């Protein structure tokens, strides 16, 4: 599931501003129009991957 699918599935109804894409590519900090911040973190056994296997489809600082 990608970020867009999560937003649609949970009916979040906003296009977040991507504040920070972490170097490991497994965590993204987003901010909604109403200033609510969300940290999307993919964990459980991904630390040792060092970012391998993850492709970032968003740009830090963009909406």
């Amino acid at each position: 599931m990608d970020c867009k699918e999560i937003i649609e599935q949970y009916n979040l109804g906003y296009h977040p501003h991507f504040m920070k894409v972490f170097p490991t590519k497994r965590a993204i900090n987003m901010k909604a129009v109403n200033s609510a911040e969300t940290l999307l973190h993919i964990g459980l056994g991904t630390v040792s991957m060092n970012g391998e296997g993850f492709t970032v489809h968003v740009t830090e600082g963009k909406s």
Side-chain angles (χ1 to χ4, degrees):
M1 181 178 298
D2 65 24
C3 186
K4 182 179 177 186
E5 290 170 332
I6 292 170
I7 291 168
E8 291 171 356
Q9 178 177 337
Y10 292 98
N11 197 24
L12 298 176
Y14 68 90
H15 293 90
H17 177 78
F18 299 101
M19 298 168 50
K20 174 90 176 141
V21 178
F22 292 83
T24 59
K25 304 177 191 170
R26 54 189 189 90
I28 299 173
N29 188 6
M30 302 176 283
K31 189 172 191 176
V33 175
N34 67 359
S35 297
E37 291 188 28
T38 303
L39 176 65
L40 175 64
H41 180 264
I42 312 300
L44 299 174
T46 59
V47 173
S48 62
M49 296 174 69
N50 295 318
E52 294 294 319
F54 293 93
T55 304
V56 177
H57 295 279
V58 297
T59 304
E60 189 173 305
K62 302 282 184 175
S63 294

